[in-house]
Every structure is written in structure tokens, then in C-alpha cells.
Amino acid sequence: MTTTPGDGLLATSGTPPAATTWPSYVKASVAWHLAAGAAAAIVPASWPWALGAVAANHLALTAGGLWPRSRWLGSNWTRLPAAAVMRDEIAITIDDGPDPALTPAILDLLDQHRARATFFCIAERARAAPALCRAIIARGHSVQNHSDRHSHRFSLLGPRAMAREIAAAQASLADITGVAPRFFRAPAGLRNPFLAPVLQRLDLQLVSWTRRGFDTVGADPAPVLARLLRRLGAGDILLLHDGHGARDLSGRALVLAVLPALLERVQAAGLVPVTLPAAGAGAAAEARGQA
Ligand SMILES: [Zn+2]
């Protein structure tokens, strides 16, 4: 029986929380700590070595959290599941909104290309623009969980604070849109070992990306587009921003400068931009079949 941090904070009434399965890397780390502690207890003179072993392990865990596409700290989608790849699907994900000035223009561009996208919304911003959130859903797209306040200290939070941050966003977004998010993306993609058990209890899948445009820095849309199009293929998860985004020299948001060309290239390549829940629908059925 493993212990779970954050106690029963997120348990929903009527349904007992599922037993937490810690990522194997975390289990190995716990074993490593115990072994180091035992060594220091049995051979007291070895304590500097034991301390060094524990410090090295912490360094490795931190590295896993600071590398957004790593799977060291638990399940993490960096590409769409195989079933979606077979259907030539890709996912365009748009983070840090909704933004009353930008999101409507993005929705228009997506409509023009009959493309569906996933908006990883900051719940605080969603509460400030609930009608816009509902418009995203009404126009066939998806709203997913990108934390409550997008704290830059997210990856430094302890288990309870991390659980509160994600659960509060989950409740707000479900309340506003009428659809509970099924996917979570960490602010800036940074996390720590406490995240995986929290996501498991909230039934959320962590998603990072295949490639990001880096549209929050610089003033030139060309390299942003080039990064997103590099080795474009089925199963890609692409990342752009409708919040915190940079602008070109004329003041136009980079995402608006990049999206038309990106959507044309996606269409020309025969790829189908779908929402993450649509891409995952086949995968969920597959997983149930295997269970
Ligand atoms: Zn973000």
C-alpha cells in the first residue's frame, strides 16, 4: 500500500479514490532514499556518500520535471495515440487564454480552415471571460486545464497546493463550459514528482507537445512557423499561445501571423486538426480493450 500526498482532498463523494500508482521512477527514488538511509545507519562513516546519493537522485528528479517532454515523472503525451496517427490527425493546442482580443480572431481562422483545436485555458482568465470559453466549445473546439492561475512557481508547489491549483481550475472550467477537462498541461511544461498522483486522482492526462512555436518570444513569425512545420506529420501536437503571446513589429500577434500558413500546410499535407478528446477517443477504447 502506497501513501498518497495531499490526503483525501480530491476524493469525490460516493466514489472511493483509485489507488495511486506512482511512476516507476519515483518508486525507484524512494527505494534509493531508503537504501541510502540504511547504509548510513549500518555504516555511520558512509553518511557523506549516502547524502551524495540522495542529492544526485534529487537532481535527476528535478531534471525530469524541468524537461517538459520527459516521461520520468509519469505518463505524458508528446504525440497523439496510435489510433489518431492512423486517422492522419494532428492536434493544434493554444495556451494561456482565453483572451478577449485574440481568441475570437483565432476561432475565425480555425473556422475558415475547418480545423479543430484545443485551448489550454487558465481558469482565472476563463472566469473573467466565461462567454468566450463557451464560444470555444460551441464552435467545436475543446477547453482543457492549464491550472488556475498559471503560477510561475507551479513546479515548486507541494502536493496539497498543486492539488488545489489543478482541482480549482478543473471545477471552474467544468462549471463554465459544462464539460469537465480530461487533459492537463503544466504552466511552461514544468512539474515535479507530486503532479502524477494528483492528475491520476482527478482523472487527467498530462499533455506536453511534439513541437512548440516559441511564439511568446521574438517579433518574427517566420521562425515560429518553421519550427512548427519541421517534420510535420500525423500525430503531432503543436503548441501556440492566445495569452502571453509575442507580437510582430506591426503589433500583430504572432499566433495570428502564423496560423493561416500553418493551417494551409496542414491541409495540403492531408492532415486533420482535431481536439485532444477526439484524438484520444480511439485510444481510450483501445486501453479499455487491453484492460
Ligand atoms: Zn502556459
Side-chain angles (χ1 to χ4, degrees), residues 38-177:
I42 296 164
V43 187
S46 73
W47 73 263
W49 296 100
L51 200 64
V54 167
N57 175 257
H58 278 237
L59 210 62
L61 281 176
T62 303
L66 296 180
W67 176 24
R69 302 182 70 243
S70 87
R71 292 190 181 85
W72 293 1
L73 303 181
S75 171
N76 180 9
W77 281 21
T78 59
R79 300 186 59 76
L80 297 180
V85 176
M86 296 289 287
R87 297 190 296 260
D88 284 330
E89 292 173 352
I90 70 159
I92 295 171
T93 61
I94 300 173
D95 284 15
D96 293 5
D99 181 276
L102 268 185
T103 310
I106 291 172
L107 291 175
D108 288 346
L109 283 172
L110 292 168
D111 273 357
Q112 284 163 25
H113 292 83
R114 289 192 212 89
R116 299 279 190 259
T118 299
F119 291 77
F120 277 97
C121 290
I122 301 170
E124 191 175 55
R125 292 191 172 193
R127 289 191 291 271
L132 188 49
C133 263
R134 287 190 280 272
I136 293 173
I137 301 276
R139 289 167 77 164
H141 309 288
S142 173
V143 168
Q144 298 297 329
N145 188 332
H146 194 35
S147 82
D148 200 54
R149 292 162 300 148
H150 205 271
S151 165
H152 293 300
R153 296 183 62 255
F154 181 81
S155 66
L156 303 175
L157 296 179
R160 282 167 185 259
M162 189 167 272
R164 269 196 302 272
E165 178 73 14
I166 300 169
Q170 190 72 0
S172 273
L173 294 172
D175 187 43
I176 291 167
T177 64

